[in-house]
Amino acid sequence: MSTEVPFRILPRVGKRNEHYWHGGRDGELRFQRCADCGYYLHPPTVLCPLCHSKNIVIEAVSGKAEILTFTINYQPWMPGLEVPFVLAVVRCLEQDDLRITTNIVGCDPEEVKIGMPVKVIFEAHEDEEVWIPLFTPDESERP
Ligand SMILES: [Zn+2]
């Protein structure tokens, strides 16, 4: 991957979401998970919405996902924003409603399809200690 980091407005990182934005430093996509019922929680919260447990841990997932929906943006909304780019919602394989709004990179935007298998990669903003999870086509075999 190119070392050139594109323009991006970065998230505010705090105690509750640092597992998510720092995970890429170790190449891991991390979420909160309920230690009682196993449900992944995203975005971060203080209470499991399924079983109301506060017993929440941080866990890495495989980083494998599929594209649920997407749009190709051609409009340069602000200076420095390179177009076209793909804005997508992907669904992690671990849980149907574990979804991330992200960019699809490493392929021609015209090749992107709904249902396409993708895997996580990270865009490093080391000075700000933020690793943005992005997704790229996954050529590997899946069960
Ligand atoms: Zn739970």
Side-chain angles (χ1 to χ4, degrees):
M1 240 193 98
S2 154
T3 53
E4 196 176 311
V5 178
F7 172 81
R8 189 178 294 280
I9 294 172
L10 297 176
R12 180 171 296 190
V13 180
K15 217 167 173 40
R16 195 176 297 172
N17 65 8
E18 63 185 6
H19 62 277
Y20 184 77
W21 299 115
H22 289 172
R25 180 162 44 202
D26 304 315
E28 287 189 346
L29 182 59
R30 296 173 183 153
F31 293 102
Q32 287 182 334
R33 191 176 193 189
C34 174
D36 287 323
C37 76
Y39 189 71
Y40 290 99
L41 312 160
H42 184 71
T45 182
V46 292
L47 190 72
C48 174
L50 290 194
C51 74
H52 302 146
S53 170
K54 290 181 177 172
N55 190 8
I56 292 170
V57 295
I58 304 299
E59 235 179 70
V61 294
S62 66
K64 290 177 182 284
E66 71 172 29
I67 296 175
L68 206 58
T69 189
F70 72 96
T71 186
I72 302 175
N73 180 75
Y74 294 95
Q75 176 68 34
W77 296 103
M78 48 190 100
L81 189 63
E82 275 188 42
V83 292
F85 64 87
V86 180
L87 183 65
V89 176
V90 302
R91 170 168 61 196
C92 294
L93 294 194
E94 282 78 2
Q95 181 174 297
D96 186 53
D97 62 356
L98 187 58
R99 297 172 183 185
I100 303 175
T101 302
T102 186
N103 295 137
I104 306 301
V105 297
C107 69
D108 186 333
E110 303 292 337
E111 291 171 9
V112 173
K113 303 238 179 332
I114 287 174
M116 180 186 265
V118 289
K119 62 183 175 188
V120 73
I121 59 168
F122 294 94
E123 182 184 278
H125 298 261
E126 300 206 12
D127 292 348
E128 295 82 10
E129 292 198 81
V130 175
W131 284 258
I132 306 283
L134 304 177
F135 286 79
T136 191
D138 183 7
E139 315 292 338
S140 69
E141 295 265 337
R142 290 189 179 186

